[in-house]
Amino acid sequence: MLQTILLVAMIIISVSLSAVILLQRSEGGALGMGGGPSGFMTARGAGNLLTRVTSILALAFFVCAIGLTIAGNYARGSRSVIDADAVGSIALDQPEQTAPAPEAAPATPAAPAAPSLDDLEASLPAGQGAPAQ
């Protein structure tokens, strides 16, 4: 349950962070929030607000990522593959497998999977032998 909540929050924060970063004024000012110096958001005010919002969202992103890691470790429990008990239980849970008996070699060799050159020459008409080299 906690992982689901944190995962949804992580997605919302990621999309918001991407949008805020794209709204910021680039070096050339191509994607910035234009407009004149008068108005609700001046260039300096927009820069300060967007920088602050970006910082807050980045901090929330890292906190959410750490929270997801901790929640995932709690859900997993304290068992580890490296633990001696866990390794012993893994070996005991599996049924013992016996090695199959080696098969006796056949008296005649098996037919080749692909045709050989001898088969090719045998399939040619009598007058078209192999070209001289």
Side-chain angles (χ1 to χ4, degrees):
M1 175 77 175
L2 179 63
Q3 284 182 336
T4 305
I5 293 170
L6 287 175
L7 190 60
V8 169
M10 179 76 101
I11 292 170
I12 292 171
I13 291 169
S14 300
V15 170
S16 301
L17 188 60
S18 299
V20 169
I21 288 173
L22 288 175
L23 285 175
Q24 290 183 6
R25 184 173 219 111
S26 63
E27 288 294 321
L31 292 177
M33 293 173 51
S38 63
F40 175 66
M41 302 258 304
T42 62
R44 183 177 296 258
N48 289 339
L49 176 69
L50 291 176
T51 302
R52 182 171 292 152
V53 170
T54 302
S55 302
I56 292 170
L57 285 174
L59 179 68
F61 179 84
F62 285 116
V63 168
C64 194
I66 292 171
L68 273 171
T69 303
I70 293 171
N73 285 338
Y74 278 129
R76 187 186 68 180
S78 63
R79 291 190 55 185
S80 173
V81 176
I82 299 174
D83 291 340
D85 294 333
V87 172
S89 66
I90 289 172
L92 294 177
D93 290 343
Q94 296 176 350
E96 290 187 27
Q97 297 179 357
T98 59
E103 296 180 17
T108 59
S116 66
L117 290 177
D118 295 332
D119 295 335
L120 179 64
E121 289 177 1
S123 67
L124 291 175
Q128 292 184 354
Q133 294 182 0

